[in-house]
Amino acid sequence: AGYFILARFSLFLSYQHSNASPVWPPSGFAFAMILLFGYRIIPGILVGAFAANLVAFRFDHGANLSTALWVSLIIAIGDAGEAATGYCLLKKTLPGIKYNDYFQKANYIFYFFVVSLIMCMVSSVVGTTAIVLGDFINSDQRYTAWLTWWLGDVSGILLATPFILIWVFFFRTRPNLSFTRIKAIETAALFLLGSV
């Protein structure tokens, strides 16, 4: 459900009728979830990606049902494959490191960055191939769509995954957080001043 909601909002930024977006937070969400829960989260990523793309192709772009189904399925497989590839690469590169330690040392951050660049190739190649074969874009637009897709997934991972992992770690290590009225006012003031 989280992937689906993020994807529906992120598709408003998509390139033409391609579903390739310059910023794709669902990729970061999916990567964070697989780092937290392991491979067992893959069906959830598949269902969320499939549903979001099916709704987009069928209702937003007016594709016929059969085309929307198979293109959405291929893109969903690419999205889930991207998260699984990143998980596998990160576990091979940094064995024994838990999700809360990926941002503790400079070399861990570097490996996380490099893995993000590599893993995003999976979804961008698979997804771009699917939308070209489904005639959502012309074949001469495939490189622009691929680059947009790849950059969107990379930016989504670099923005969303660290935020989610650090947030989860913070709340898991401090279970007895009590928000008093003073803390609530303080938090609201910091948020408002930070956004100005």
Side-chain angles (χ1 to χ4, degrees):
Y3 190 99
F4 177 81
I5 292 166
L6 280 172
R8 288 301 298 154
F9 284 114
S10 300
L11 284 170
F12 290 120
L13 302 171
S14 67
Y15 168 74
Q16 293 184 354
H17 297 291
S18 65
N19 283 16
S21 175
V23 180
W24 191 249
S27 62
F29 177 79
F31 193 38
M33 292 301 107
I34 201 168
L35 289 174
L36 289 170
F37 300 109
Y39 289 116
R40 66 181 180 213
I41 201 76
I42 288 177
I45 297 168
L46 272 168
V47 169
F50 175 76
N53 283 294
L54 180 63
V55 168
F57 286 126
R58 183 74 177 126
F59 299 111
D60 298 346
H61 304 310
N64 64 45
L65 183 59
S66 63
T67 302
L69 282 170
W70 71 263
V71 171
S72 297
L73 180 62
I74 291 172
I75 291 173
I77 291 169
D79 290 346
E82 174 184 85
T85 300
Y87 181 76
C88 181
L89 287 174
L90 211 52
K91 293 299 180 183
K92 295 286 184 189
T93 307
L94 299 170
I97 303 298
K98 294 185 177 184
Y99 74 91
N100 55 339
D101 293 330
Y102 288 126
F103 310 106
Q104 297 293 327
K105 295 183 179 180
N107 61 329
Y108 294 175
I109 295 170
F110 175 75
Y111 289 132
F112 182 87
F113 176 73
V114 171
V115 165
S116 299
L117 297 177
I118 296 168
M119 68 186 270
C120 291
M121 296 292 286
V122 174
S123 180
S124 60
V125 169
V126 170
T128 304
T129 303
I131 60 175
V132 168
L133 293 175
D135 286 329
F136 288 100
I137 61 169
N138 298 327
S139 60
D140 58 337
Q141 297 172 314
R142 69 183 176 272
Y143 296 115
T144 304
W146 171 82
L147 183 62
T148 304
W149 200 305
W150 181 76
L151 288 172
D153 282 6
V154 169
S155 64
I157 287 170
L158 296 179
L159 291 171
T161 304
F163 174 78
I164 293 169
L165 294 179
I166 292 168
W167 183 75
V168 167
F169 175 70
F170 176 77
F171 282 103
R172 282 187 178 172
T173 58
R174 299 187 61 183
N176 295 329
L177 289 177
S178 61
F179 282 103
T180 62
R181 190 179 329 182
I182 299 295
K183 285 184 181 179
I185 293 170
E186 213 174 79
T187 303
L190 285 172
F191 178 74
L192 290 173
L193 290 173
S195 62
V196 173

